[in-house]
Amino acid sequence: MVETLSIAVIGAPGVGKTSIIRQFIYNDFSEAYTPTRSRYVYRPSVILNGNMYELKVLDVPPISSFPASASQEWLDLRCRGVRNANAYILVYDICCVESFEYVKMIRQQIVENEGSSSEVPILVVGNKRDLQRQRFMPRRAVSVLVKKTWKCGYVECSAKFNWHVVLLFKELLGIAVARGMRQNHTSTRLQGALQRNRCTVM
Ligand code: GDP
Ligand code: MG
């Protein structure tokens, strides 16, 4: 049986959510900014440690807050499926402090919503690593805050140069598998796309 894992990708406008997803699935990047206006679902398949997973990756358009109730989610088309996601990727731009504040707020709301016993995997992603010289906070400081205080995973990547993009999905899936799917964790292999556009061996 193939496991399906739904992942909601959330972040402030322009941080690179769509770019990360499209680089991961299509090996494609565009310099031009096309704001995502409606929710979009990508369904790639991946192989991790010899197991196949079907991912449902939700590219969530800008939302002012995490949907606080099922009815709120139902009323706002943009956040359909966000509350029931199995895992979250919260993206910010390492050069934009406001985008980090947004991620901080959403993380807080996810945790409050799930309750204290929550083990839902959350990965914070600092994108635009290629613009490292303009970053607002040293990598180490953010990493410590996110990992130690927020208890989330942390990865920096560059969607533009496809740097650490596969890694971040691998990291998140690794956490999800360890927490929810309870399968034996052997060493992970990282390979290129198995079948372009559809399946990635991680
Ligand atoms: P979204 O609104 O979060 O989906 O952001 P997009 O993926 O549409 O990207 C917003 C803009 O940032 C676009 O112009 C992208 O070309 C650019 N961008 C995305 N990722 C990177 C990156 O890693 N480095 C740089 N320099 N630009 C990026
Ligand atoms: Mg977008």
Side-chain angles (χ1 to χ4, degrees):
M1 207 190 83
V2 179
E3 302 249 23
T4 302
L5 188 84
S6 82
I7 302 171
V9 183
I10 306 176
V15 295
K17 300 177 293 297
T18 304
S19 301
I20 289 171
I21 299 168
R22 294 190 64 85
Q23 187 62 274
F24 177 60
I25 300 173
Y26 303 123
N27 291 118
D28 176 39
F29 177 78
S30 163
E31 290 280 355
Y33 178 34
T34 314
T36 307
R37 303 209 188 280
S38 56
R39 169 183 166 282
Y40 200 88
V41 183
Y42 297 82
R43 294 178 174 273
S45 300
V46 298
I47 295 173
L48 180 71
N49 293 338
N51 297 312
M52 176 139 153
Y53 302 93
E54 277 171 4
L55 306 185
K56 188 175 156 192
V57 182
L58 305 182
D59 188 355
V60 182
I63 49 175
S64 54
S65 62
F66 188 80
S69 65
S71 57
Q72 191 186 330
E73 176 179 288
W74 189 248
L75 287 171
D76 187 347
L77 270 179
R78 293 169 304 173
C79 30
R80 256 327 133 77
V82 165
R83 283 170 59 84
N84 287 332
N86 302 118
Y88 296 93
I89 295 180
L90 304 184
V91 186
Y92 80 99
D93 171 349
I94 63 163
C95 310
C96 173
V97 69
E98 292 80 13
S99 71
F100 188 69
E101 293 298 327
Y102 179 83
V103 157
K104 186 174 166 185
M105 175 190 81
I106 295 288
R107 202 253 359 158
Q108 187 62 38
Q109 292 170 348
I110 294 173
V111 171
E112 281 165 12
N113 188 63
E114 298 273 335
S116 53
S117 61
S118 161
E119 288 257 302
V120 66
I122 302 176
L123 182 71
V124 174
V125 172
N127 186 37
K128 308 200 185 181
R129 178 62 192 259
D130 52 290
L131 305 176
Q132 139 105 315
R133 272 190 244 153
Q134 294 146 52
R135 66 183 309 145
F136 64 84
M137 196 167 158
R139 191 195 66 81
R140 178 128 188 87
V142 193
S143 174
V144 168
L145 171 69
V146 170
K147 288 183 177 167
K148 298 258 161 67
T149 313
W150 299 4
K151 309 268 187 277
C152 298
Y154 185 70
V155 170
E156 292 197 349
C157 76
S158 168
K160 182 172 179 173
F161 292 100
N162 201 3
W163 185 78
H164 279 184
V165 172
V166 172
L167 178 84
L168 77 89
F169 281 93
K170 186 175 135 188
E171 186 96 2
L172 183 71
L173 198 55
I175 304 172
V177 167
R179 288 193 188 173
M181 302 174 185
R182 308 243 175 261
Q183 286 174 0
N184 286 339
H185 215 78
T186 50
S187 65
T188 48
R189 285 181 306 143
L190 183 63
Q191 297 174 7
L194 180 70
Q195 198 186 342
R196 201 164 176 266
N197 302 350
R198 295 304 312 151
C199 187
T200 301
V201 179
M202 304 201 291

